[in-house]
Amino acid sequence: MRGGPEPGNRAQRGDAAPARVPQPRFRKAAPGSPAAQAAASGGSGVGGVPPPPPLSHQALTSLLGAWALGACSPAENAAVEDHLNDCASCADEALRLRDAVPLLEPQRSLDLDPALRGRVLEVCLDRRPARLPLPSWAAPFDAEAARLDALLHDMAAGEWRTEVPLRWFAEGAMAEHSTTVAGVLDHLLAVDGLLARALSLPDPLGESAPVDPTLRTQAQWHSAAPARAVAPQQARVEWREQTRALLRAAGRTGGGPGLTAVEVAYRIPELLDGGTLSLPDAFLDRAFACWVHGDDIARAIDYPYGPPGGPHLRMVVDLVARRLRGSLAERRRAGLALSPPRLAPVGQPGRTVHLEVEGSGGGDWYIPLDSPTSPVSAADPVARVALEDVAFCQLASGRISPDEAAAGTEGDERIVHDLLFATAALSRL
């Protein structure tokens, strides 16, 4: 029979109403149990409750997985760690489980998706169009400058003097120069100044500054050294102001197809038309440099930094692939090519190399081997070279050597050698 009033009967006024929530009951310990033994010996826990018995070896072993995942309660965690100090077999098993935890779910960067900024801007611009729309060919430079600026924002004051190695491929070997984070920004500022000059913007080095990128960089390093020794972060301010000015100037062009060539004196072999680049290619070149040097800084300070988003990476890969015909021709004129030349009939396709770039920025390109002006045919390439998109860009920027590039190849090994070394020859300081 249940205690309390029967259903339908209310307690009379003045009677004690039955408790609606049952009070906790204390069960009498079974004879011989650890709790009964503790009670018999006079031991008591908090509030008179007997303390829990120590966990057995089997129970502690069963908690090792939860301990490795960080899922134990504080009491269980303390019990397991005390046990590991005394049990070698459990300590070995705990180490194995802890090392296996990252395999369950690989660690991910806490940084936002690089494409997120573009998606947010796209939604915003759909609702309110920009007064000066940014041409599509300037979008990679805008995105890479924003990523680099975010990295610089996150840096501690002491990291600005971190040594940053800059690498490139020159005369058949890897070259290197070490600078600081501020020095990298001064290098970008100096070379971006060529584009600023072409867009009728002030040249940060002055109108009488040299046009050779290396000489400009050295001049900027020399002139800025006293100021950078006091306030290296000022390099970020100057670089960011110039970058914003370049993007505003790009918007004022309208982005139409009738853009004039930009007079830039880059020391690169593919400029066979007298040292000029179209405005879209010049902006892509600076986006490429911004990504590469942002990655240089990130590696130096151990900061997570990935490649550009797929569409922008594809534009950079296409720029590098289009430069290869000029680089191949320059190396052949200099006597650096291993494969023998072969003349093709006028107007007829010559030998072609199939460049296959894999990944989100990849595609297929057919590069003329014998003359940069000859037509190409995809029908019968004499060699094929396959590279990942990021590795292809690293090779073109001098961050890896031709021997370090993991490439799948078919055909004449001498032609493969020529293509890989022509890609590396595109790099510069």
Side-chain angles (χ1 to χ4, degrees):
M1 179 176 180
R2 298 171 58 186
E6 292 292 332
N9 295 334
R10 294 180 180 272
Q12 298 297 320
R13 188 182 300 272
D15 293 343
R20 299 187 64 182
V21 180
Q23 297 299 312
R25 299 180 180 180
F26 292 98
R27 185 174 57 187
K28 186 176 181 180
S33 66
Q37 294 174 2
S41 62
S44 62
V46 178
V49 180
L55 297 175
S56 66
H57 180 274
Q58 183 177 1
L60 290 166
T61 302
S62 67
L63 288 174
L64 293 180
W67 173 84
L69 293 168
C72 286
S73 67
E76 291 171 336
N77 195 63
V80 170
E81 292 183 357
D82 287 343
H83 177 67
L84 296 181
N85 291 328
D86 301 325
C87 182
S89 61
C90 285
D92 291 340
E93 179 66 15
L95 288 175
R96 286 194 293 269
L97 291 172
R98 188 177 61 183
D99 292 341
V101 166
L103 302 178
L104 300 177
E105 183 174 0
Q107 295 180 358
R108 299 176 182 176
S109 171
L110 297 179
D111 285 359
L112 297 176
D113 181 358
L116 179 60
R117 180 177 182 272
R119 294 197 296 268
V120 172
L121 288 175
E122 183 178 358
V123 172
C124 295
L125 293 175
D126 284 343
R127 296 186 177 183
R128 183 177 180 181
R131 184 171 59 87
L132 285 176
L134 190 67
S136 59
W137 40 261
F141 181 55
D142 179 36
E144 292 310 305
R147 288 209 304 147
L148 175 54
D149 192 48
L151 183 159
L152 300 173
H153 178 270
D154 289 348
M155 284 175 46
E159 292 177 322
W160 279 87
R161 292 183 171 85
T162 301
E163 182 176 310
V164 182
L166 305 180
R167 304 179 69 196
W168 68 97
F169 189 80
E171 299 179 357
M174 299 299 296
E176 183 174 310
H177 177 85
S178 292
T179 183
T180 63
V181 174
V184 175
L185 295 181
D186 279 327
H187 168 54
L188 288 173
L189 181 78
V191 183
D192 288 351
L194 292 171
L195 186 54
R197 178 186 290 187
L199 290 169
S200 301
L201 297 174
D203 187 335
L205 276 67
E207 295 302 322
S208 61
V211 294
D212 179 83
T214 301
L215 295 179
R216 289 177 62 87
T217 297
Q218 293 171 346
Q220 174 64 15
W221 282 342
H222 178 74
S223 64
R228 300 299 182 248
V230 177
Q233 295 92 329
Q234 183 63 24
R236 178 195 176 197
V237 176
E238 298 173 16
W239 166 79
R240 184 166 61 173
E241 288 178 354
Q242 178 175 262
T243 299
R244 290 176 174 176
L246 290 172
L247 291 170
R248 287 193 295 267
R252 287 193 293 269
T253 66
L259 298 172
T260 58
V262 178
E263 296 291 338
V264 289
Y266 287 168
R267 184 187 54 79
I268 45 181
E270 71 275 11
L271 299 180
L272 303 176
D273 52 354
T276 62
L277 280 176
S278 69
L279 196 60
D281 280 356
F283 268 86
L284 276 177
D285 178 83
R286 302 320 301 150
F288 187 20
C290 199
W291 162 36
V292 169
H293 291 309
D295 187 69
D296 290 336
I297 295 173
R299 290 176 184 272
I301 65 172
D302 196 21
Y303 187 96
Y305 206 79
H312 292 174
L313 183 56
R314 175 65 166 74
M315 295 170 72
V316 172
V317 169
D318 178 68
L319 173 70
V320 175
R322 286 188 284 111
R323 289 175 167 179
L324 283 178
R325 61 173 60 202
S327 184
L328 280 167
E330 179 67 19
R331 288 181 59 81
R332 191 173 294 284
R333 283 196 294 267
L336 299 175
L338 294 187
S339 60
R342 181 182 300 176
L343 296 178
V346 177
Q348 297 296 318
R351 294 181 300 170
T352 303
V353 182
H354 178 196
L355 172 64
E356 180 181 348
V357 181
E358 301 171 346
S360 61
D364 294 277
W365 287 264
Y366 293 88
I367 315 298
L369 181 61
D370 299 310
S371 171
T373 58
S374 64
V376 297
S377 173
D380 190 22
V382 295
R384 184 182 73 89
V385 178
L387 285 162
E388 291 288 340
D389 47 12
V390 174
F392 178 61
C393 293
Q394 289 175 332
L395 179 61
S397 60
R399 269 48 192 177
I400 59 175
S401 69
D403 294 332
E404 294 171 323
T409 63
E410 292 179 1
D412 192 330
E413 289 298 324
R414 296 173 298 178
I415 295 176
V416 170
H417 172 278
D418 289 344
L419 184 71
L420 293 177
F421 276 74
T423 304
L426 295 174
S427 63
R428 62 185 185 275
L429 172 63

